[in-house]
């Protein structure tokens, strides 16, 4: 078994962007790929990232010299500097020898450039991992070839999947210390695939690597691993897909209204879903007023189209009331509007998330008051969702949101930009949680992302039903599936 | 109102630069909308030039909804000041140049006070004075995360206390592209639209967008003297030659621009943008090597930032 990629099929909203065979413009033909690395303390994560930077020549001579100066006697046996020192930028970290925050690293190959969110592996830093994962399209999970999958690996995979990452790379590191044992590697890879599938992640690539020796990171490790013919880590990264936000219709959260002079009124923002062209009909939410697009203005050109990610100024064909915080959306593919939603939340602040407190919620450019009530918390060691009414720091939970004014969202599953939010404590003004919308609640409290007719039906025997409903997969897809026991099916 | 199109006939940006540009514009608009008194720190260098270009794009067809502040230590290259004044005139910008009056009075120079104290008084303290005088609650800067180790953990909205201090352990988490712009009176943020750009990105963008730069970035025969392993521009009468030093002419360019005595040039034959980029892509020395202040002590930049340096 050497083809390590389980599924190359693209998920909805994803697009294989790279490598245009006939480039029309100079430079790189893809957006930077953002990915996250996660591993336990001793898996060699710093060495892996250091190796990526070193072998792609992102470490400059003077930085290397400073490293050698700092790490007296701490060079490894290959005469390379101690990579951890390159990465742990803050003095507090150097003193304690641990990584305490998310750091961003940059490197590039001829084909693509990369932004790595380097996050700590300690369990108490779930919040940092969630932060790094929020913008990532891919997660590299590290395990030690000698110890295999740990509880920590499962935790990291769970958080990454929940934050919307749909591509995993399992880097089985220190393969040299396992005597390049193929059978051991395959066992670990199989176990990990099972975890990934249980989280709804189908794109999994497992790679045997030695970060220290640089095998299968940038350079191949064929000599000692003739049994592995899959891609190197960098090859997987170069070919990874990016979300393009096309699964929802056009979305423009309005950041500001531009009125520079008589006769011009434009709505400035970044397209958060779909695409738009002059003449298209749009609706302003939450007011519901309708209009048509007259022009798409940018500094360079008055454009004939704009797509997800473009920062534009939109001009409408009639005077309508639009303010910062409003959303301009496709008239025929509207987001959800309402006062009651269900979401998953990661608590980031030492105070946790308290029921009945009125927080500020910011989503896109919109900020509004919200009351929230935690209903369950994810137990990362079992993967079960247990009843809860409070979320401690680093806790992941399901909450019910109740707004004073109408809120506008897509589900996070369909659109990461318009389905995400942060919570701000009204007194400290700190960011205390990150949240992902699952769906809208109706008056009866029933969960309501898709109408029943559009949901896939999953039928399970009663003994499995309860356990399934507690899984991350069931949570993540709650709006898309309808779970029934066998009796109901028989009755239909 | 007729909308001007600045990019007619220009080839489109590659997707990589386009994504970086979009992100920066988004940050500019968000800060301008959420804060009451934003300001942009303008240092005249290449990153500032890119920053200004992106700001013009973000608010087009309107004008910049904030002023620019330039911290003038009195030791900047004359070419920099001339360039600054041209740019201000061309775009009709509102620029405030500020020099620390205490430092001026006490005649603080890199020679009399050493580079560390000089930088603190003429840059860090001067910056705090300028921000306090304008009661600015948000200041855009051109810092990039790839510049230096402690910058790698910098947020896009970098939260500062009322003393302008940066506490690396007390930064707000930043998820997705949702920025928390809520602050108490007296507190402020530094906002960094170029956080995710690398040095190569900056140069490629300058090339693609035809952004004008101070000529010091291109190699020319210049009078230099060698001090502490750095090639320093000679000619300013305030820079006295030390025993054994001599002024000579060499083909030199500058990778970053700061105060004359603290900015080292590199030997180079790159006289055009293409040549500079070609040199950069095979360069094995990072750009901050030319900055004396980073070498003062280990963790030097982190320390300065805690004290309020940009």
């Amino acid at each position: 078994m050497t083809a390590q990629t389980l599924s190359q099929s693209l998920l909805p909203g994803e697009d294989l962007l790279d490598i245009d065979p006939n480039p029309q413009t100079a430079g790189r033909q893809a957006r930077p790929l953002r990915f996250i690395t996660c591993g336990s303390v001793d898996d060699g994560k710093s060495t892996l990232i250091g190796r990526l930077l070193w072998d792609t020549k992102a470490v400059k001579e003077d930085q290397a010299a400073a490293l050698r100066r700092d790490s007296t006697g701490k060079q490894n046996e290959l005469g390379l500097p101690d990579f951890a020192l390159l990465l742990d930028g803050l003095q507090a970290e150097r003193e304690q020898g641990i990584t305490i925050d998310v750091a961003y690293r940059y490197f590039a190959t001829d084909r693509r450039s990369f932004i790595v969110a380097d996050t700590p592996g300690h369990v108490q830093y779930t919040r940092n991992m969630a932060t790094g994962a929020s913008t990532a399209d891919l997660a590299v999970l590290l395990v030690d070839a000698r110890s295999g999958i740990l509880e920590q690996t499962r935790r990291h995979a769970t958080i990454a999947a929940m934050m919307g990452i749909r591509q995993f790379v399992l880097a089985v590191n220190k393969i040299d210390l396992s005597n390049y044992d193929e059978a051991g590697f395959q066992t670990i890879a199989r176990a990990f695939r099972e975890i990934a599938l249980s989280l709804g992640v189908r794109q999994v690539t497992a790679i045997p690597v030695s970060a220290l020796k640089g095998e299968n990171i940038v350079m191949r490790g064929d000599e000692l691993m003739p049994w592995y013919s899959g891609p190197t880590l960098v090859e997987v990264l170069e070919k990874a897909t990016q979300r393009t936000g096309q699964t929802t219709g056009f979305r423009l959260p309005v950041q500001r209204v531009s009125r520079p002079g008589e006769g011009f009124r434009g709505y400035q923002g970044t397209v958060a879903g779909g695409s738009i062209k002059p003449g298209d009909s749009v609706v302003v939410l939450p007011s519901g007023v309708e209009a048509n697009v007259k022009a798409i203005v940018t500094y360079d050109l008055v454009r004939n189209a704009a797509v997800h990610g473009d920062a534009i100024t939109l001009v409408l064909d009639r005077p309508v009331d639009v303010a910062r915080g409003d959303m301009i959306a496709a008239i025929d593919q509207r987001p959800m509007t309402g006062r009651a939603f269900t979401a998953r939340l990661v608590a980031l602040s030492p105070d946790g998330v308290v029921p009945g407190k009125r927080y500020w919620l910011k989503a896109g450019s919109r900020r509004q008051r919200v009351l929230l009530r935690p209903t369950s918390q994810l137990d990362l060691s079992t993967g079960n969702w247990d009843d809860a009414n409070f979320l401690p720091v680093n806790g992941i939970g399901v909450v019910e949101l109740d707004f004073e004014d109408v809120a506008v969202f897509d589900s996070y599953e369909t659109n990461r930009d318009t389905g995400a939010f942060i919570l701000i404590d009204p007194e400290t003004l700190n960011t205390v949680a990150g949240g992902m919308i699952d769906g809208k609640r109706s008056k009866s409290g029933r969960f309501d992302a898709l109408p029943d007719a559009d949901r896939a039906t999953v039928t399970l025997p009663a003994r499995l039903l309860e356990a399934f409903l507690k899984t991350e997969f069931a949570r993540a897809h709650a709006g898309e599936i309808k779970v029934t026991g066998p009796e109901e099916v028989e009755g239909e | 109102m007729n909308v001007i199109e600045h990019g007619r006939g220009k080839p489109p940006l590659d997707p990589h630069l386009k994504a970086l540009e979009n992100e920066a514009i988004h940050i500019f608009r968000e800060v301008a909308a959420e804060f009451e008194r934003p300001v942009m720190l303008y240092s005249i260098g290449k990153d500032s030039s890119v920053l200004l270009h992106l700001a013009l794009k973000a608010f087009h067809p309107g004008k910049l909804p904030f002023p620019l502040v330039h911290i003038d230590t009195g030791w900047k290259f004359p070419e920099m000041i001339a360039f600054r004044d041209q740019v201000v005139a061309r775009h009709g910008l509102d620029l405030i140049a500020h020099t620390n009056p205490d430092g001026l009075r006490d005649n603080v120079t890199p020679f009399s006070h050493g580079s560390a104290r000089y930088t603190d008084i003429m840059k860090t303290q001067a910056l705090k004075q300028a921000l306090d005088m304008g009661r600015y609650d948000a200041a855009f800067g051109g810092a990039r995360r790839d510049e230096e180790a402690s910058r790698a953990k910098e947020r896009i909205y970098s939260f500062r206390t009322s003393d302008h201090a940066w506490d690396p352990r007390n930064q707000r988490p930043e998820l997705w592209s949702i920025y928390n712009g809520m602050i108490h009176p007296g507190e402020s943020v530094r906002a960094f639209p170029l956080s995710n750009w690398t040095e190569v990105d900056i140069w490629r963008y300058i090339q693609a967008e035809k952004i004008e730069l101070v000529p010091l970035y291109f190699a020319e025969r210049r009078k230099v003297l060698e001090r502490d392993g750095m090639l320093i521009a000679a000619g300013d009468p305030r820079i006295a030659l030390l025993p054994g030093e001599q002024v000579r002419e060499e083909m030199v360019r500058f990778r970053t621009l700061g105060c004359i005595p603290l900015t080292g040039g590199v030997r180079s034959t790159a006289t055009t943008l293409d040549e500079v980029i070609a040199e950069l892509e095979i360069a094995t020395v990072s750009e901050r090597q030319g900055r004396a202040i980073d070498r003062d002590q280990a963790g030097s930049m982190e320390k300065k930032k805690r004290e309020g340096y940009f």
Side-chain angles (χ1 to χ4, degrees), chain B residues 84-100:
Chain B
R84 177 195 75 187
D85 294 343
Q86 275 169 31
V87 167
V88 165
R90 187 184 320 135
H91 299 293
L93 304 171
D94 175 9
L95 180 123
I96 300 153
H98 177 76
T99 306
N100 183 348

Side-chain angles (χ1 to χ4, degrees), chain B residues 72-305:
Chain B
D72 189 351
T73 58
W75 287 87
K76 301 295 175 189
F77 292 81
E79 293 94 325
M80 291 171 71
I81 303 299
F83 181 86
R84 177 195 75 187
D85 294 343
Q86 275 169 31
V87 167
V88 165
R90 187 184 320 135
H91 299 293
L93 304 171
D94 175 9
L95 180 123
I96 300 153
H98 177 76
T99 306
N100 183 348
D102 307 335
L104 215 53
R105 184 195 59 222
D106 300 342
N107 199 23
V108 174
T109 73
F111 309 112
S112 58
H113 289 68
S115 72
R117 278 202 62 208
Y118 162 80
T119 300
D120 179 56
I121 295 168
M122 297 310 280
K123 291 172 87 173
T124 308
Q125 299 307 324
L127 175 63
K128 289 188 196 177
Q129 289 167 352
L131 294 178
D132 286 342
M133 280 192 304
R135 289 178 292 110
Y136 300 115
D137 55 359
F140 293 103
R144 309 189 318 268
R145 287 181 183 142
D146 86 322
E147 274 178 77
E148 203 269 342
S150 78
R151 294 255 198 234
K153 306 198 172 188
E154 184 63 283
R155 305 294 197 267
I156 287 175
Y157 276 29
S158 178
F159 180 79
R160 305 296 166 108
T161 64
S162 49
D163 307 326
H164 304 283
W166 180 70
D167 177 0
R169 294 201 176 238
N170 195 23
Q171 292 293 298
R172 293 171 173 175
E174 226 164 48
L175 291 86
W176 300 288
S177 52
I178 309 173
Y179 305 106
N180 177 359
M182 298 186 81
I183 53 170
H184 292 110
E187 295 169 346
S188 64
V189 304
R190 309 274 168 93
F192 300 117
L194 303 180
S195 287
N196 286 319
W197 296 53
T198 63
E199 190 185 11
V200 175
D201 296 329
I202 294 286
W203 282 109
R204 288 219 174 108
Y205 189 74
I206 287 167
Q207 185 180 42
E209 293 286 307
K210 300 187 166 50
I211 297 170
E212 270 194 66
L213 294 181
V214 183
L216 293 163
Y217 283 111
F218 303 101
E220 211 177 282
R221 288 199 73 79
R222 295 192 165 93
K223 289 199 166 92
V224 290
L225 61 94
E226 195 162 344
R227 182 175 293 177
D228 298 335
M230 293 201 312
L231 289 175
I232 293 171
D236 189 308
R238 294 171 296 178
I239 302 178
L241 286 184
L242 301 177
E245 287 179 348
Q246 45 179 305
V247 174
R248 55 175 189 265
E249 273 199 13
E250 285 205 50
M251 280 295 276
V252 168
R253 69 178 176 88
F254 296 88
R255 285 180 77 176
T256 63
L257 297 180
C259 299
I260 301 171
L262 304 178
T263 306
V266 290
R267 293 187 179 91
S268 165
T269 54
T271 57
T272 66
L273 209 47
D274 287 346
E275 287 167 3
V276 169
I277 291 171
E279 240 182 47
L280 190 73
E281 295 194 323
I282 55 165
T284 55
V285 180
S286 81
E287 64 190 315
R288 293 209 75 90
Q289 196 213 24
R291 291 288 180 101
I293 59 166
D294 289 354
R295 299 195 296 186
D296 296 344
Q297 62 194 95
S300 169
M301 174 71 90
E302 182 189 348
K303 184 170 173 294
K304 280 194 282 291
K305 283 178 55 169

Side-chain angles (χ1 to χ4, degrees), chain A residues 25 61-62 91 93 96 104 106 113 131 134 255 270 299-300 302 309 311-312 324 362 412 427 429 431, chain B residues 5-7 12 16 22 26 29-30 57 152-153 169 172 174 176 179-180 184 196 204 284 286 302:
Chain A
T25 52
E61 241 171 39
D62 53 323
Q91 281 198 326
E93 291 177 332
Q96 295 174 25
Y104 295 91
Y106 302 82
S113 68
T131 303
S134 71
Q255 289 184 280
T270 306
Y299 176 89
D300 293 303
V302 175
I312 59 168
R324 170 175 167 82
K362 191 178 177 195
Y412 189 73
E427 281 110 46
L429 305 183
T431 305
Chain B
E5 295 179 304
H6 296 272
H16 171 85
N22 281 330
H26 182 84
R29 289 172 171 174
E30 198 62 12
K57 285 200 171 193
K153 306 198 172 188
R169 294 201 176 238
R172 293 171 173 175
E174 226 164 48
W176 300 288
Y179 305 106
N180 177 359
H184 292 110
N196 286 319
R204 288 219 174 108
T284 55
S286 81
E302 182 189 348

Side-chain angles (χ1 to χ4, degrees), chain A residues 9-158:
Chain A
S9 67
L10 299 182
L11 299 171
E14 288 182 332
D15 189 9
L16 197 60
L17 278 173
D18 51 327
I19 329 304
D20 178 350
N22 295 306
Q24 297 299 306
T25 52
R28 299 205 172 88
Q29 296 308 306
R31 285 180 288 150
L33 180 81
R34 303 185 71 130
F35 70 96
I36 180 173
T37 53
C38 2
S40 301
V41 184
D42 299 316
D43 294 337
K45 187 165 60 69
S46 293
T47 311
L48 179 92
I49 297 174
R51 173 58 75 180
L52 277 169
L53 300 183
W54 192 267
D55 285 356
T56 57
K57 312 215 165 20
V59 182
K60 305 296 186 189
E61 241 171 39
D62 53 323
Q63 292 168 328
L67 272 185
R68 295 203 172 96
R69 204 167 59 223
D70 281 2
S71 59
T72 26
K74 275 190 82 180
Q75 292 188 5
N76 68 36
E77 70 257 39
L78 302 176
L80 295 172
D82 181 350
F83 290 135
L85 288 176
L86 177 71
L87 305 180
D88 293 340
L90 304 181
Q91 281 198 326
E93 291 177 332
R94 295 190 188 195
E95 284 151 17
Q96 295 174 25
I98 52 162
T99 316
I100 55 169
D101 207 333
V102 188
Y104 295 91
R105 321 282 176 199
Y106 302 82
F107 67 95
T109 65
D110 291 340
R111 309 181 92 187
R112 200 176 205 180
S113 68
F114 303 93
I115 303 175
V116 194
D118 176 12
T119 61
H122 314 271
V123 61
Q124 65 269 39
Y125 296 116
T126 297
R127 63 191 212 122
N128 289 324
M129 215 203 113
T131 303
S134 71
T135 50
D137 280 307
L138 180 146
V140 176
L141 293 108
L142 244 92
V143 296
D144 185 320
R146 297 164 303 172
S147 34
I149 309 285
L150 302 176
E151 187 182 306
Q152 186 77 259
T153 317
R154 188 184 297 271
R155 288 170 191 263
H156 290 157
T158 305

Side-chain angles (χ1 to χ4, degrees), chain A residues 419-484:
Chain A
F421 62 86
I422 59 170
L423 280 189
I424 299 167
D425 185 289
E427 281 110 46
T428 65
L429 305 183
N430 281 334
T431 305
V432 296
M436 292 146 285
I437 294 293
D438 282 328
K440 204 170 136 181
R441 278 182 296 127
S442 59
K443 276 218 180 73
S444 64
R446 198 176 66 85
F447 189 74
D448 198 19
L450 287 176
D452 273 2
D454 295 338
R455 296 189 200 203
T457 304
V458 177
T459 308
L460 289 169
R463 66 190 164 83
L464 292 178
L465 190 63
E466 198 177 326
F468 176 74
L469 286 173
K470 283 190 163 188
T471 63
E472 167 62 23
F473 182 85
R475 276 293 174 191
H477 297 274
E480 300 151 67
I481 54 179
K482 187 180 160 196
V483 185
T484 64

